[in-house]
Amino acid sequence: MNNAYLGANATAIALALASGVLYAQEPAYVTDVSFNHTTSQVDVELSLTIPKEVIENNQITLFLNGSFDVASVEGETLSSHSSGASAQIPPWNEHVLEFKSGYDTHRVNFTYSGEINVEDGHGNEVSGERIHLTIDSAWHPIFANLATPMQGTVSIQLDDSWRVYAPGSTSREESRVVLESASPQLDVAFFATQNDNVLEENGFSVIYDDANTQLASELSSVGATCLASLNEKFGQNKPLDSASLVLLQRQGPSFARANFLSINSNNVQRPPFGYQLVCHELAHNWTAIGNVMSHDYWIPESFAELIGAREIQSQFGDDAYQSLKQSWQERADGTEFVWREDVQQRASHRVNYGLGPLKLLQLEDRVGAQTFDQFIANYMTSDITETTDLLDLLTSLTNSETAAWFEDQLATGDLNE
């Protein structure tokens, strides 16, 4: 870490307090990071404020990249800290923090460094041309339950030749870029580049590498149309005024974090599938996070999948929609069920992006288009993350018999009533 900036956390905390970033209900981070663009090393200092609402039995567990060297973990109310390899995700370490009783909040300061593995297939990169960091790098602590969101600011040591994109807003302070998150997220992701390739259309920007010039033009138009349409449907109380899509020829999954999307261009080469992915990721601005490892995680993925397909149908016609529906049927083939109350494991991609949206269409056939559209709108403007709550919503719109029928349908792979 640059010794001239050892006071970064104190300055950033003051800025965060002034801008209202530190909340009582969610953990809040104030992070200072610098990079060695030759070795892919990151050096991090951060302060994490943890409210008692997210602490169980006076302790929490955080994930952090297992190869990082943690120099210090300190806090006035911290009674102990231990770490070790995670059995759940072996490349990561679990850091168990135990706190003293009787406090409403706890503040823990971390100092650590390490090299990002740029060859692990997840699409993370630190180089002289660009930086791309996602949840898979575990460069920033995240809660090990994969269900507790955080919010805060990140200060990055980069000169003014770099442009930075992230969930929320960015501003520059001399040789640093400050990222302020738009909404609570499970992780801290961002992209920085020295490339000037940007296309903007009606609030939707595509930041792209040289290999994706033509595709960027196509996706900027698709994304702008989807952004306007989804805002009209779901944005009355939570508008998405603008969004940035980072389009790279890289490895790893595509993902969305509020107004920030990152897409692996290898996944969007064939229309309408690539176009639908953009609308799917935009839809996630309104789907509640929940526990990404839970049995209920079929909900946000399946709804986003269907909503994205509907947007493509509106833009490109029924043939495009039928192609997407056929891809769901191919994924769903042989899948036994979507959700059962007595099952705990996370649903597979064949459920989330196949059987799940088909089951939603099955529900539409039963209740009719008008009621189903209201069902979608109510879900997308709520904080529902569990299937039991979704069934309660369906009961309120229809009746208990319909909800019981849908619960039975979710418990089977059969697409016939």
Side-chain angles (χ1 to χ4, degrees), residues 2 74 127 140 164 233 243-244 267 282 301 340 361 402:
N2 186 341
E74 301 174 340
S127 70
H140 194 279
V164 183
K233 293 181 175 75
S244 298
N267 296 335
L282 277 172
E301 294 299 348
R340 293 174 181 167
L361 290 181
T402 299

Side-chain angles (χ1 to χ4, degrees), residues 168 200 202-205 227 231 239-244 258-261 282 285:
E200 192 276 334
N202 295 327
F204 188 80
S205 300
L227 178 62
N231 260 321
L240 186 62
D241 297 327
S242 61
S244 298
N259 61 335
F260 174 77
L261 288 63
L282 277 172
N285 181 67

